[in-house]
Amino acid sequence: MIKHIALALTLAVAPMSSFAAQFIEGKHFTQVSDKAPSSEPKLTEFFSLYCHNCYNMEKQYLGDIKANLDKSVTFDSKHVDFMNSDIGTEVMRSLAVIQTVGQKDQLTNAMFAAIQGNEGGHGHDHGAEGDKHEETINNRDDIKQVFAKFGVDAAQYDKAADSKETDAKLALWRAQQQEFKVQSVPAFVVNDKYAVNMSSVRTLAELIDLINYLAVEHK
């Protein structure tokens, strides 16, 4: 149901070094838009709260990626719509609410855990024989219970989830998912123009260098 890719090799923190001369279009990155790049350097992560590899990325690598971005590069995350269902839309809305109310890391991890179980970020296979994890997120009320543990009451949640701003955000995410041809997650798009080829990445340092190169150097 969820399309995703495994990282080609285990990403490991390594000393930063310059890989710019080695980055090749078509191998390390792909142009996914004919439009001009964003006016300011930016990195966008497309992910799904249902994706095991996205949970691994969130818990193990994303903090290092954001901490080592060039200071001019902003970061944003967007939820894909691979499910095309009512609950899929509600989960997408939950990310928009997180971005509105704050506590991004805590709430994002709580939603990952609620959907995938606490072992979801460590390669846990929910399809394995004997797996006893049951879906705990089946509707908006289930989501609101997660948020309530972080001080976001039901009324506050509904106000943010049903706002025009959230509707516009979901429409943008869906449109950009199609525009940037996002077919697997986690996916990184730089400057609204270049998609990182995750299968070409050997180390976390190389991934960061590639992102920074595309964001501030590549023309």
Side-chain angles (χ1 to χ4, degrees):
M1 178 172 60
I2 291 297
K3 302 176 183 178
H4 62 274
I5 55 172
L7 299 181
L9 295 175
T10 301
L11 294 176
V13 177
M16 295 293 290
S17 59
S18 177
F19 290 89
Q22 302 177 30
F23 294 140
I24 302 170
E25 183 170 357
K27 178 180 179 182
H28 298 98
F29 64 94
T30 303
Q31 181 175 310
V32 290
S33 175
D34 293 328
K35 298 178 182 177
S38 55
S39 58
E40 300 294 334
K42 63 188 294 188
L43 170 65
T44 303
E45 179 201 23
F46 288 87
F47 79 105
S48 168
L49 288 164
Y50 289 93
C51 163
H52 302 320
N53 289 323
C54 298
Y55 198 3
N56 285 329
M57 178 65 73
E58 178 75 25
K59 297 189 74 167
Q60 299 183 47
Y61 309 117
L62 197 59
D64 287 315
I65 292 170
K66 291 191 287 186
N68 288 284
L69 290 176
D70 183 275
K71 62 182 180 180
S72 67
V73 180
T74 60
F75 175 82
D76 192 16
S77 57
K78 299 177 180 180
H79 201 291
V80 295
D81 186 14
F82 289 156
M83 295 179 67
N84 191 27
S85 65
D86 289 343
I87 185 57
T89 297
E90 286 296 341
V91 169
M92 288 179 72
R93 286 187 184 278
S94 76
L95 177 62
V97 175
I98 289 171
Q99 294 176 348
T100 299
V101 302
Q103 304 183 74
K104 292 182 180 180
D105 291 342
Q106 298 96 319
L107 280 166
T108 300
N109 281 320
M111 282 297 297
F112 267 124
I115 290 172
Q116 299 192 33
N118 288 320
E119 298 300 316
H122 300 283
H124 184 60
D125 181 2
H126 294 286
E129 183 177 355
D131 180 7
K132 300 189 182 301
H133 174 68
E134 297 181 0
E135 290 290 348
T136 58
I137 302 297
N138 298 298
N139 51 52
R140 183 182 289 195
D141 286 341
D142 292 338
I143 295 172
K144 288 193 283 191
Q145 290 182 25
V146 175
F147 278 68
K149 297 175 183 177
F150 293 85
V152 180
D153 63 32
Q156 183 182 4
Y157 185 93
D158 286 334
K159 181 179 179 180
D162 295 327
S163 68
K164 292 181 180 178
E165 291 79 9
T166 291
D167 286 342
K169 185 170 284 191
L170 264 62
L172 175 65
W173 293 353
R174 288 184 171 114
Q176 289 190 330
Q177 176 186 325
Q178 297 301 316
E179 178 184 0
F180 301 149
K181 305 174 182 65
V182 178
Q183 297 181 330
S184 57
V185 288
F188 291 106
V189 175
V190 182
N191 294 355
D192 291 340
K193 193 171 183 69
Y194 303 106
V196 172
N197 181 1
M198 297 296 285
S199 66
S200 73
V201 174
R202 297 169 296 174
T203 67
L204 182 57
E206 184 176 6
L207 174 60
I208 294 167
D209 275 348
L210 174 54
I211 291 168
N212 282 328
Y213 165 70
L214 292 173
V216 300
E217 294 183 41
H218 182 67
K219 304 298 181 183

